[in-house]
Amino acid sequence: MPVTPPPVPAPRATDLTPRDWLEAGQSLLRRGGLRALKLRPLADELRVSTGSFYHHFTDFDAYQGRLATYFAEQQIGDMVAAIRRSESEPVARIRLLAQIVRRRGMSRLSIAMRAWAESDPRARASVERHDEIVLGFLTDCLETVGFSHHDAMVRGYALISLGLSKIHAPELDPETLMEDMIRILCIPA
């Protein structure tokens, strides 16, 4: 008779870090946008009481400010720095960024952050900083392979825009689409 593993215990409030709360908030944003970002669903996401929240944040407004900042400064900034450390070839860096964004569902999060930015200056500042970091990274990579600064920025902008689009194109293979875009936009003719 097979042995059933013991159930995984729910995390205790003392086991959680502010980053856990920020990641949970991003998960809610990714799935339901800003209207899903409320204290009860956030606590439910982490399987803790709402009172646990106050071990890390003074109030929900302060939490939202940290969540907005986390999107660009820690998360994207750290991701780009890690890519730069792990990969030296510029087009391979762009491929790695695309893989990480796809694997982590970052496009959906970015779309939710952009919607939030319409009504909150903290989210707007974070989205602008995110775009500066990612566009700077892509521009640097594309200049390294031989594009002029202007052309590298335009191509980087196109890559970001394409990554955020939700275009229905059944005749294109979604498995090879990113590689096709990289080939067209990132490799000089």
Side-chain angles (χ1 to χ4, degrees), residues 160-188:
I160 293 170
S161 299
L162 290 167
L164 293 173
S165 68
K166 291 186 172 188
I167 298 169
H168 178 71
E171 65 278 4
L172 295 175
D173 180 1
E175 298 301 317
T176 62
L177 183 57
M178 182 53 71
E179 185 55 36
D180 291 342
M181 291 189 309
I182 288 172
R183 181 178 42 76
I184 292 166
L185 293 171
C186 302
I187 301 171

Side-chain angles (χ1 to χ4, degrees), residues 86-97:
S86 69
E87 183 58 63
S88 61
E89 201 280 313
V91 176
R93 284 179 171 175
I94 294 170
R95 280 188 184 100
L96 183 55
L97 175 64

Side-chain angles (χ1 to χ4, degrees), residues 80-168:
V80 166
I83 291 170
R84 287 183 189 278
R85 286 190 305 272
S86 69
E87 183 58 63
S88 61
E89 201 280 313
V91 176
R93 284 179 171 175
I94 294 170
R95 280 188 184 100
L96 183 55
L97 175 64
Q99 290 167 0
I100 293 169
V101 164
R102 187 172 42 253
R103 187 173 56 245
R104 293 185 183 173
M106 296 295 294
S107 292
R108 291 187 71 180
L109 176 61
S110 186
I111 290 167
M113 287 295 299
R114 288 167 196 286
W116 181 15
E118 295 296 321
S119 63
D120 188 324
R122 299 169 302 182
R124 184 173 30 262
S126 185
V127 167
E128 289 171 0
R129 181 67 183 130
H130 166 278
D131 292 350
E132 287 173 15
I133 292 168
V134 175
L135 185 57
F137 171 77
L138 292 170
T139 300
D140 180 58
C141 289
L142 293 166
E143 283 181 308
T144 301
V145 297
F147 292 104
S148 71
H149 180 73
H150 177 78
D151 287 354
M153 284 190 75
V154 169
R155 288 166 185 272
Y157 183 92
L159 285 169
I160 293 170
S161 299
L162 290 167
L164 293 173
S165 68
K166 291 186 172 188
I167 298 169
H168 178 71

